[in-house]
Each structure stands twice: as structure tokens, then as C-alpha cells.
């Protein structure tokens, strides 16, 4: 025994005519019929309709929602399925997992058009949500596939290039964060081309109101030192993905320290230096997480205040 259309409409919040139109036009469900010919919906049908409704509420057209649900779900079983207990209210964008899966799937097939079509809906969520719930999960899902040897180099470049492009567009839109905030320069050292983690970090700092100078990848040490001496940022953040021995890291930290102004804190982080978390030398520290770094930068005094203190003439006595 299943649910009648009126009940399903009340359970899902989809008006009866809309539900019947979706069913007719998009071939989404095939409810069974009672002996008297009435439609009868199963728990699985109700669950599927709820997912579609959540996607439509998030801004997708019904056609896109159906495409998303199809690309992310296993083929529907003909057997009646016991659905999980009902959830009364679906939070907005509840189905971001579907979006992540569908975007990755499209990109792995080099189908940028579909991935782009799915992304504009992100206009409805904040940058922070887009980073944490879409781009980072897409990259972690790619990383897992990479580690299992399931993706080609071309696929890896295509997916990471797509994410990088969108994150850099966010950085551009934020203007690198407000003038007068604590200045944080971000780069990777020579030989390190992985920049995605650093980009995430840079965006989070800019979103938190700090001033981020994005220097990009593979900065030679001498150029970094010249930059630090001239620009005097409050923090320099370097990201390491490839592993590096502690002694070498300490040596590198010290050489940067010698070339940097005394009030620039040097911060290292990333998977390559996770084993060395802690203070490496005076003014050189390895942080394990972006949150720790955010907390540290948050405690530093704003640049505008610092420059006032430095530049304001002293009252003569
Ligand atoms: C994407 C990718 C690439 C892209 C990078 C694109 C780009 N523009 O960034 C490209 C194609 C360029 C690339 C190249 C290579 N890659 Co690669 N790559 C990856 C992949 C799939 C994902 C990495 C990623 O972006 N992760 C997602 C981010 C969000 O995570 P994350 O970096 O850890 O960052 C988080 C934290 O660590 C932290 N964090 C990061 N930095 C910092 C800094 C500070 C200060 C703080 C506080 C925190 C912090 O914040 C982030 C958010 O939480 C990984 C797979 C894997 N398992 O990781 C391989 C992987 C990292 N690559 C690997 C290798 C070997 C290479 C190559 C050498 C391959 C080759 N033979 O050419 C090259 C060259 C690398 C080089 N010279 O630097 C290996 C590294 C193995 C190792 N331990 O050395 C991995 C693990 C793949 C594997 N299983 O073999 N790669």
C-alpha cells in the first residue's frame, strides 16, 4: 500500500498539479496503481520528490534538478525500498553533495559546460559556503580518486584548473580583502606547484577582513626576501604539499628570517609539513590548520593602526 497523490503533496510541499506535471514531463517516477486506478507512491518516491524539491528550492530548474538527481544516484531499483525516516524541513542547499558529485563527474568527462551550468546556482550561497561545501569537497574527491590511480593527469589538471579559476575569481572579487587590514602574503616555495590549499587559506583570511597579497607559486627565496623587506607584510604564509625534512625546513625558515623584517611572522603549513607543527625558530612557526592561522592573524593588530603608531610624530616635551 502506498500514499495517494494528495498525501504526497502534503508530505513534500509540492502542489498536486506541479507534482503531476513533473511526473508527466520529466519521467521521474512511475507510481503503481491501486485496484481502483489511483496513483500510489512508495516511501522511495516520496524521498526522491523531496530531493527534487530541495534542489528546485535552491534555484535549479526542474529539468536541471532531475538531471542532477539522475547523475548522482544509482539506477532506481524496481524493488520497493524502505526510505529513511522523514525529514520535515529541508535546509536550503541541502543537496550540495549531489552538486559536488555532478560537477566532478562532468569535469572528469571534460564537460565544462555542464559543470558551469551547475555552478551559477552558487550565486545563492556565500563564498565561504561555496568554498567549504563545493570546491574543497570537489578537490578532496579528486584527491581520493587520484590516490586510487583512477584519474589521468589530463583529468587532474582539468578539474583542479576549473576549481583554481573559480577561487581566483573570488579573490579578485574580494579585491584581496580590505585596505588597512592585517597584511598576509601567501606563496609557495620553489619547487612547490600545489596551490589549492593556499588559495583556500587566502580566501578565508580575505573573508575574515584581512589584506591578502597573493604571490602565487614557486617563489625563489631571494625574491621572497626582497619582497618582505620592501613590503613588510605582518605575516608570510608558505604552503608545502611535498614532504620536507625538519632540518631542511628549519634551515629554510632561518634563511627567510634573516632576510625578513623583524615584525613579519613567518608561517608554514600544508600536508608536507604536518609532522613539524610547532615553533621551528624564533618568528617561524608551522600551523596544522587554517583555523589556527586565522585565530593567530585575528589577534594581530590591524595594519592601519600599526602604521599610525609608526608614522605619527612623537609629541615633543
Ligand atoms: C591537484 C593536485 C595537483 C595539481 C595542483 C594544481 C594546483 N594549482 O594546485 C598539479 C596537477 C599541478 C599537481 C602536480 C603534481 N603533483 Co599533485 N596532487 C594534486 C591532488 C590531486 C590534490 C591536492 C589538493 O589540492 N588538495 C586539496 C587541498 C584543499 O588540500 P591541502 O592542500 O591539504 O590544503 C588544506 C590544508 O593542508 C591546509 N593548508 C594548505 N596549505 C597551508 C598553508 C598554511 C600556512 C596553513 C596554516 C594551512 C595550509 O589548508 C587546506 C584546507 O584545509 C593531490 C592528491 C592528494 N591526495 O592530495 C596530488 C598530490 C599532492 N600530488 C602529488 C605529486 C607527486 C605531484 C607531482 C610531483 C606529479 C608529477 N609527477 O608531476 C606534480 C608536481 C608537484 C610539484 N612540483 O609541486 C602527490 C604528492 C606526494 C608527496 N607526498 O610528495 C599527491 C599526494 C598525489 C599522489 N597520491 O601521489 N598535483
Amino acid at each position: 500500500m502506498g500514499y495517494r497523490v494528495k498525501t504526497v503533496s502534503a508530505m513534500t510541499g509540492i502542489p498536486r498539479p506541479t507534482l503531476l506535471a513533473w511526473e508527466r514531463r520529466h519521467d521521474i517516477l512511475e507510481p503503481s496503481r491501486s485496484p481502483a486506478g489511483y496513483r500510489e507512491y512508495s516511501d522511495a518516491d516520496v524521498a526522491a520528490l523531496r530531493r527534487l524539491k530541495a534542489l528546485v528550492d535552491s534555484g535549479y530548474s526542474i529539468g536541471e534538478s532531475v538531471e542532477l538527481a539522475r547523475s548522482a544516484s544509482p539506477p532506481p531499483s524496481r524493488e520497493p525500498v524502505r526510505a529513511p525516516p522523514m525529514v520535515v524541513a529541508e535546509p536550503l542547499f541541502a543537496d550540495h553533495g549531489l552538486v559536488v558529485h555532478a560537477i566532478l563527474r562532468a569535469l572528469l568527462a571534460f564537460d565544462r559546460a555542464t559543470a558551469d551550468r551547475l555552478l551559477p546556482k552558487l550565486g545563492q550561497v556565500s563564498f565561504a559556503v561555496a568554498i567549504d561545501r563545493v570546491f574543497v569537497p570537489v578537490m578532496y574527491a579528486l584527491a581520493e580518486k587520484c590516490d586510487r590511480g583512477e584519474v589521468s593527469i589530463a583529468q587532474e589538471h582539468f578539474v583542479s584548473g576549473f576549481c583554481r579559476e573559480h577561487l581566483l575569481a573570488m579573490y579578485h572579487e574580494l579585491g584581496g580583502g580590505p585596505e588597512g587590514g592585517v597584511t598576509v602574503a601567501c606563496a609557495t616555495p620553489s619547487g612547490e606547484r600545489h596551490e589549492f590549499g593556499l588559495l583556500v587559506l587566502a580566501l578565508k583570511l580575505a573573508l575574515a577582513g584581512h589584506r591578502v597579497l597573493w604571490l602565487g607559486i614557486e617563489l625563489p627565496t631571494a625574491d621572497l626576501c626582497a619582497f618582505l623587506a620592501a613590503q613588510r607584510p605582518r605575516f608570510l604564509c608558505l604552503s608545502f604539499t611535498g614532504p620536507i625534512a625538519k632540518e631542511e625546513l628549519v634551515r629554510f625558515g632561518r634563511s627567510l628570517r634573516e632576510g625578513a623584517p623583524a615584525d613579519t611572522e613567518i608561517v608554514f603549513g600544508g600536508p608536507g609539513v604536518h609532522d613539524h607543527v610547532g615553533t621551528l625558530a624564533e618568528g617561524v612557526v608551522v600551523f596544522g590548520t587554517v583555523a589556527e592561522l586565522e585565530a593567530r592573524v585575528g589577534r594581530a593588530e590591524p595594519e592601519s593602526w600599526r602604521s599610525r603608531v609608526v608614522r605619527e610624530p612623537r609629541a615633543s616635551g
Side-chain angles (χ1 to χ4, degrees):
M1 238 245 356
Y3 306 104
R4 295 276 172 86
V5 67
K6 193 173 152 209
T7 315
V8 173
S9 168
M11 287 163 91
T12 59
I14 305 169
R16 187 174 182 277
T18 308
L19 199 162
L20 295 178
W22 285 3
E23 206 177 293
R24 207 171 45 246
R25 294 194 199 126
H26 299 283
D27 196 19
I28 43 174
L29 304 169
E30 219 181 301
S32 51
R33 298 275 173 168
S34 71
Y38 292 115
R39 287 176 160 76
E40 287 197 329
Y41 296 82
S42 66
D43 285 328
D45 291 337
V46 174
L49 285 167
R50 286 211 163 119
R51 291 168 89 186
L52 285 178
K53 170 93 169 34
L55 287 165
V56 168
D57 287 348
S58 299
Y60 290 95
S61 70
I62 178 62
E64 289 167 333
S65 304
V66 169
E67 198 182 308
L68 263 172
R70 280 205 184 114
S71 67
S73 321
S77 161
R78 288 278 142 205
E79 297 300 313
V81 181
R82 269 255 146 268
M86 282 197 318
V87 181
V88 177
E90 299 269 10
L92 188 70
F93 219 63
D95 268 304
H96 58 265
L98 284 182
V99 179
V100 167
H101 187 98
I103 289 174
L104 182 62
R105 194 181 153 108
L107 291 173
L108 288 174
F110 303 102
D111 178 2
R112 192 182 163 121
T114 297
D116 273 332
R117 236 191 10 257
L118 298 172
L119 271 181
K121 314 299 168 191
L122 295 175
Q124 298 188 347
V125 298
S126 66
F127 281 179
V129 169
I131 294 165
D132 286 340
R133 302 226 192 138
V134 178
F135 290 107
V136 170
V138 164
M139 285 303 289
Y140 281 148
L142 172 73
E144 259 179 44
K145 283 187 177 291
C146 230
D147 293 348
R148 291 200 300 263
E150 290 171 6
V151 294
S152 68
I153 292 178
Q155 285 173 313
E156 185 184 336
H157 281 213
F158 194 75
V159 179
S160 59
F162 176 88
C163 292
R164 174 180 181 275
E165 220 179 272
H166 283 280
L167 293 195
L168 279 173
M170 287 184 194
Y171 173 78
H172 178 71
E173 193 126 319
L174 290 170
E179 293 282 353
V182 172
T183 308
V184 185
C186 294
T188 74
S190 284
E192 180 56 76
R193 283 170 47 212
H194 297 94
E195 67 184 319
F196 196 80
L198 189 75
L199 252 177
V200 168
L201 171 159
L203 281 168
K204 293 210 163 167
L205 291 175
L207 286 167
H210 308 302
R211 182 88 187 133
V212 177
L213 298 176
W214 177 255
L215 305 180
I217 57 168
E218 300 207 85
L219 257 274
T221 310
D223 291 78
L224 257 181
C225 290
F227 163 85
L228 294 176
Q231 299 299 323
R232 303 168 59 89
R234 185 69 180 77
F235 292 89
L236 169 69
C237 290
L238 292 186
S239 176
F240 296 77
T241 295
I244 173 166
K246 184 153 185 190
E247 309 73 61
E248 201 188 326
L249 194 65
V250 171
R251 258 200 312 278
F252 178 60
R254 289 208 173 115
S255 66
L256 281 177
R257 185 68 282 159
E258 277 164 23
D263 52 1
T264 296
E265 284 181 49
I266 296 169
V267 176
F268 296 154
V273 295
H274 265 167
D275 291 345
H276 316 315
V277 169
T279 302
L280 284 185
E282 171 101 25
V284 185
V285 62
V286 180
F287 280 126
T289 64
V290 174
E292 279 173 51
L293 173 69
E294 267 189 87
R296 175 66 201 98
V297 177
R299 287 196 301 274
E301 73 275 18
E303 217 71 8
S304 48
W305 182 83
R306 231 166 40 112
S307 50
R308 248 198 337 268
V309 172
V310 173
R311 286 191 199 126
E312 266 171 15
R314 284 192 190 172
S316 49

